[in-house]
């Protein structure tokens, strides 16, 4: 399960969009600078953070604040919703109707039973996108927002000893297809194949906690 990730404002390279949009990247950098050192966590009753999300509007990539986890009847869902299994989307592709990219420079997982935190990523300061599915939801204050759930897949062998699952990473060559393609079984199958091409580049570094601070890549 991915329950926390980072967005380092010092990112110098981006593997997020095939055609990097200056407005999107500048918006991400501005958000990250204002929230420097803060780990991005699920939104809830007490933590009302809205995290930056890349979605498609009229065929173009745009940045919007979004609620991590689903809202049901004006309240955070009672069922686990911050992550969605890729296998579930393969069985029920209707869940792919609305999708997004979650910008990140690394995500955190705890290795058990040793209880050692690790930060995963593609390299020092490198911005990448994690696949997400989205839906609209009403907050307890009555405001309608976009809610998102990060898509998770089985981890490759060199990472599985640390954590058995990882986010589906979307390479730039598949970003537009993920955001705008038809919501079919073929789409999630192709996304998983594209994500597997990045497996060898993903590395994990031990950390003392998942409290943010500077990346170790």
């Amino acid at each position: 399960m991915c329950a926390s990730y980072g967005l380092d404002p010092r990112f110098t390279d981006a593997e997020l969009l095939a055609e990097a949009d200056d407005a999107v990247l500048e918006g991400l950098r501005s958000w990250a600078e204002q929230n420097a050192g803060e780990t991005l966590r699920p939104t809830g009753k007490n933590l009302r953070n809205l995290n930056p999300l890349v979605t498609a509007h009229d065929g173009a990539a745009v940045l919007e604040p979004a609620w991590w986890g689903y809202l049901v009847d004006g309240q955070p869902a009672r069922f686990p919703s911050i992550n969605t299994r890729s296998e579930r989307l393969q069985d029920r592709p209707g869940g792919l109707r609305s999708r997004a990219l979650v910008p990140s420079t690394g995500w955190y997982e705890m290795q058990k039973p040793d209880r050692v935190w690790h930060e995963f990523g593609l390299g020092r300061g490198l911005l990448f996108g994690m696949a997400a599915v989205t839906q609209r939801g009403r907050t307890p204050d009555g405001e309608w927002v976009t809610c998102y759930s990060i898509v998770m897949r089985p981890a490759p062998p060199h990472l599985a000893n640390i954590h058995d699952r990882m986010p589906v990473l979307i390479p730039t060559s598949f970003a537009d297809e993920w955001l705008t393609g038809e919501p079919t079984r073929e789409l999630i199958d192709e996304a998983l194949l594209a994500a597997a091409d990045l497996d060898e580049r993903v590395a994990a570094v031990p950390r003392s906690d998942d409290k943010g601070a500077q990346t170790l890549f």
Side-chain angles (χ1 to χ4, degrees), residues 15 122 128 169-172 193-202:
E15 296 199 15
L122 295 180
F128 57 87
L169 306 186
I170 300 295
T172 55
L193 287 174
D197 288 341
L198 298 175
D199 282 355
E200 293 185 359
R201 296 178 54 192
V202 180

Side-chain angles (χ1 to χ4, degrees), residues 20-210:
D21 185 290
D22 290 341
V24 169
L25 295 181
E26 186 57 35
L28 283 173
R29 197 180 303 279
S30 175
W31 187 95
E33 288 173 348
Q34 292 175 26
N35 295 272
E38 292 293 328
T39 297
L40 287 82
R41 303 186 187 279
T43 318
K45 288 184 177 180
N46 298 320
L47 190 63
R48 292 298 183 86
N49 56 296
L50 295 179
N51 302 327
L53 194 68
V54 178
T55 59
H57 182 69
D58 293 334
V62 297
L63 194 64
E64 67 170 305
W67 184 292
W68 186 6
Y70 289 153
L71 287 158
V72 179
D73 296 328
Q75 296 293 330
R78 295 181 180 275
F79 56 87
S81 65
I82 64 171
N83 297 151
T84 297
R85 296 172 69 92
S86 60
E87 299 91 329
R88 178 181 177 86
L89 295 173
Q90 289 176 308
D91 291 338
R92 303 177 183 178
L96 292 163
R97 284 189 298 271
S98 181
R99 303 171 302 279
L101 293 172
V102 180
S104 175
T105 51
W107 74 94
Y108 310 115
E109 298 286 5
M110 178 182 285
Q111 183 181 24
K112 298 180 179 179
D114 299 333
R115 298 186 62 81
V116 175
W117 283 102
H118 286 74
E119 182 177 3
F120 297 74
L122 295 180
R124 184 178 181 84
L126 203 153
L127 180 70
F128 57 87
M130 301 184 288
V133 288
T134 68
Q135 63 182 41
R136 297 288 287 175
R138 181 169 51 83
T139 72
D141 300 325
E143 180 184 1
W144 286 91
V145 296
T146 295
C147 305
Y148 69 99
S149 179
I150 295 175
V151 183
M152 302 292 287
R153 50 160 282 210
H158 74 289
L159 300 175
N161 66 312
I162 301 174
H163 200 274
D164 62 345
R165 299 189 72 83
M166 65 176 284
V168 174
L169 306 186
I170 300 295
T172 55
S173 59
F174 196 73
D176 183 66
E177 183 69 16
W178 176 253
L179 290 175
T180 63
E182 292 297 319
T184 63
R185 167 66 186 264
E186 288 72 22
L187 179 65
I188 186 64
D189 287 346
E190 291 173 5
L192 290 169
L193 287 174
D197 288 341
L198 298 175
D199 282 355
E200 293 185 359
R201 296 178 54 192
V202 180
V205 177
R207 292 186 48 140
S208 59
D209 55 40
D210 72 334

